[in-house]
Amino acid sequence: MTTMTVLQEVDVQIAAGTCRFCGVGLRRTFVDLGMSPLCETYPSCADLNRGETYYPLHVYVCEKCFLVQLEEYESVESIFSDYAYFSSYSDSWLKHAENYCTKMKSRLDLNDESFVVEVASNDGYLLQYFVQQDIPVLGIEPAANVAKIATEKGVPTLVRFFGTELAQELAREGRCADLVLGNNVLAQVPDLNDFVGGLKILLKPEGVLTLEFPHLLRMIELNEFDTIYHEHFSYFSLLSTIKIMNAHGLNVFDVEELKSHGGSLRIYACRTESNSHPIEPNVGKVLADEDRAELDKVKSYSSFAQQVKETKFALVEFLLSAAMQGKKVAGYGAPGKSATLLHYCGIGKDLLEYTVDRNPYKQGRHLPGSRIPIYHPDRIHETKPDYVVILPWNLKDEIMEQLQFIRDWGGSFVVPIPKVKIY
C-alpha cells in the first residue's frame, strides 16, 4: 500500500506583545531582518572565541496608532550604562549642534537666567555651546563613561536614566527648564509613556521642548533599513508623534525637516495649556506629505520588506564581483547601523576585509556578528584599498572630503544606501 505525505502551509502567528504607546496587540509585520546581536557590543580580540547573543530584528507596525516598533529584548540599563557612541567624533554633527544652540538662543531669547536641560546629552557635544554663551545647562546621560567626557568639558551632567521619577525630583528642586531637548533619544526609549510624561513635568509653564529623530517617511522612501537595530525601539512619523505628545499634555506647534541621519524631524512642543506658541504651517505640510504616502493606512507599510531584499542583493552582488576581480574592499566607520547592514546581508571578512573608525573606543575591536576588525583610519593609507564602503552613509559628504587621498591610487567610494552607488 502506498502512502503519500501532503505538505501544508502553516500560517504562523508570532506573539509580539502590545504597542508600547497605546497597548494594542501587535500583529502586522513591517520588516523582518532575522536575528542579530546588539549593535553597540564590539567584541575585543579576547571575545572572539566566545559566542554572541542574538535577538530578533522583527519590526511591527501598530494598526491603531501607526507606531513602528521592535520588542524590548534587553534592558536599557544593560545597553546604555556603558556606551560606545560618542557624538563629538563627527565634525558635521558638532556643527549641527552649534547651529541649533545659536538658533534657539535667538528664538527663545535665552540668557544667563535661563535653564536648558538635554536628555541623553552624551559627551556634551551640544550643551558645550550653551555653556560658551553663559547659559546655565544640565545634561542627563545614563552612560557613565560618556558623561565623564562631558563633565571634563565643563558641562554639568547627571548620570541617570530619564523618566517621570527624575523629572519630579528636578521639579521639586525648582529646576524646571525653559528649553528641554533630546536629540536621537526618543527612539531609544522602551517606556515611551513614562519618558514623554517626564518631559512635560520638566518644562516650565511656557517652556519649549525640541526632539530630533529620524523620520519614518524618509526611512521608507530611502530604504534606510540599517537604521533598524535593537537600541532603536521605535520609529516615528509626525502622525504617531503627535498622538504620543497629545496623550501627555503636549502640543506640537512646529516642525523642521532636517538632512541629518538620512532625513530627520525636529519637533517643537509646549504644554497644551500654553497659549504662547501658535501652530506653524510646517506642521500641516509634513502631515500632508505623510497623508500622501498613506502612513495612516497599514497596507502602505507592506512594500518596505521587498525594498530591503533588493538592496541586499545589489550590495552582495557588487562585493562578490569585486572579490572575484581581486579588488581590495575596506569599510569606513563602525556605526550601529553597520551591524544591521552587514549582518543581514551576510557580509563578513571575506567580502569586507576591515573597517576603520575615529573613535579610539572601537579601534582594536570588531563589528558584532560579522567580526570584521576595526582599525585606526591610518589603515586605509597603509593598505590602499580599491573601494571604501562608507557605512555611516548619512555622513558620506564629510567622509569623502576627509578621504580624498584614496583617489591618488585610483580608489573609489561605495555608498550602500538607498542603493549601491560608486563615487
Side-chain angles (χ1 to χ4, degrees):
M1 182 177 180
T2 303
T3 61
M4 181 170 61
T5 301
V6 178
L7 298 178
Q8 293 181 316
E9 290 188 5
V10 179
D11 183 16
V12 179
Q13 293 292 323
I14 299 175
T18 57
C19 174
R20 64 173 38 91
F21 167 57
C22 71
V24 167
L26 297 173
R27 302 178 301 167
R28 183 74 61 144
T29 295
F30 177 60
V31 66
D32 186 352
L33 300 176
M35 302 285 287
S36 180
L38 298 178
C39 74
E40 294 287 348
T41 54
Y42 298 91
S44 66
C45 291
D47 296 326
L48 294 182
N49 288 329
R50 302 188 181 99
E52 294 180 69
T53 303
Y54 282 60
Y55 305 91
L57 267 182
H58 192 154
V59 190
Y60 295 84
V61 57
C62 176
E63 295 173 273
K64 180 181 179 183
C65 69
F66 304 105
L67 180 65
V68 173
Q69 58 200 281
L70 274 171
E71 287 186 77
E72 179 185 0
Y73 295 102
E74 272 287 356
S75 69
V76 290
E77 288 79 12
S78 64
I79 294 174
F80 297 115
S81 293
D82 185 70
Y83 204 45
Y85 181 74
F86 293 77
S87 297
S88 293
Y89 284 107
S90 169
D91 295 336
S92 61
W93 187 243
L94 286 176
K95 190 63 180 175
H96 174 83
E98 184 178 14
N99 290 342
Y100 167 86
C101 293
T102 301
K103 179 174 184 173
M104 297 308 291
K105 179 184 179 183
S106 174
R107 180 167 181 169
L108 302 182
D109 196 23
L110 300 175
N111 54 47
D112 59 3
E113 295 183 355
S114 305
F115 187 44
V116 176
V117 176
E118 181 178 11
V119 179
S121 52
N122 201 259
D123 59 5
Y125 74 102
L126 185 147
L127 291 180
Q128 62 182 334
Y129 298 112
F130 281 131
V131 170
Q132 290 169 14
Q133 299 176 77
D134 296 320
I135 297 171
V137 304
L138 174 67
I140 300 172
E141 170 55 51
N145 64 316
V146 179
K148 180 175 181 291
I149 304 300
T151 303
E152 291 170 355
K153 292 177 181 176
V155 177
T157 304
L158 190 60
V159 183
R160 293 275 297 274
F161 282 95
F162 181 78
T164 56
E165 181 180 350
L166 177 54
Q168 288 166 350
E169 287 180 27
L170 292 171
R172 284 194 296 268
E173 296 169 5
R175 303 173 79 188
C176 288
D178 300 278
L179 171 63
V180 177
L181 69 123
N183 287 349
N184 299 302
V185 61
L186 195 63
Q188 298 177 328
V189 177
D191 191 343
L192 270 181
N193 292 313
D194 179 69
F195 183 84
V196 177
L199 293 175
K200 181 184 179 181
I201 292 169
L202 193 55
L203 276 180
K204 288 182 178 178
E206 298 302 326
V208 170
L209 165 71
T210 73
L211 296 170
E212 292 182 25
F213 48 85
H215 190 188
L216 177 65
L217 178 60
R218 301 294 168 239
M219 184 175 90
I220 294 172
E221 289 178 341
L222 299 176
N223 200 29
E224 298 165 352
F225 71 91
D226 58 341
T227 58
I228 294 169
Y229 38 87
H230 298 103
E231 287 84 344
H232 283 177
F233 299 104
S234 305
Y235 307 84
F236 299 92
S237 61
L238 183 58
L239 173 70
S240 63
T241 303
I242 287 175
K243 290 176 183 287
I244 295 165
M245 296 296 135
N246 287 350
H248 293 281
L250 292 165
N251 264 357
V252 175
F253 65 85
D254 199 3
V255 61
E256 294 177 54
E257 296 178 272
L258 309 173
K259 292 183 179 180
S260 56
H261 296 285
S264 296
L265 296 180
R266 175 189 291 153
I267 66 160
Y268 293 74
C270 61
R271 289 170 172 263
T272 303
E273 59 270 23
S274 171
N275 296 315
S276 302
H277 305 285
I279 295 178
E280 301 292 340
N282 284 345
V283 175
K285 186 267 179 190
V286 175
L287 286 174
D289 291 343
E290 293 185 352
D291 185 61
R292 280 189 290 273
E294 298 188 321
L295 292 190
D296 59 344
K297 297 179 175 60
V298 171
K299 65 179 179 61
S300 302
Y301 295 82
S302 60
S303 62
F304 186 67
Q306 183 57 38
Q307 295 174 205
V308 170
K309 288 181 184 178
E310 290 170 2
T311 298
K312 172 180 179 176
F313 298 155
L315 179 57
V316 172
E317 182 181 19
F318 165 77
L319 291 173
L320 284 171
S321 176
M324 289 187 288
Q325 294 173 43
K327 302 291 186 181
K328 291 182 180 179
V329 184
Y332 186 96
K337 62 174 62 122
S338 66
T340 297
L341 177 72
L342 300 177
H343 193 268
Y344 171 70
C345 294
I347 296 167
K349 290 179 287 186
D350 52 343
L351 297 179
L352 192 71
E353 185 179 339
Y354 65 86
T355 191
V356 301
D357 199 277
R358 293 171 65 185
N359 185 347
Y361 186 95
K362 298 179 182 180
Q363 293 164 13
R365 294 176 175 268
H366 302 77
L367 294 178
S370 65
R371 304 296 180 92
I372 292 170
I374 306 167
Y375 295 102
H376 186 280
D378 288 349
R379 183 81 173 186
I380 291 177
H381 266 296
E382 296 164 4
T383 63
K384 296 180 170 54
D386 299 288
Y387 296 104
V388 174
V389 180
I390 299 177
L391 297 172
W393 42 260
N394 52 300
L395 302 175
K396 66 179 175 62
D397 293 335
E398 174 185 339
I399 292 167
M400 286 193 288
E401 184 177 346
Q402 292 173 3
L403 301 187
Q404 274 302 309
F405 59 80
I406 74 169
R407 305 295 191 192
D408 295 344
W409 60 78
S412 299
F413 297 102
V414 181
V415 177
I417 300 292
K419 59 183 179 181
V420 176
K421 188 172 182 179
I422 300 172
Y423 291 85

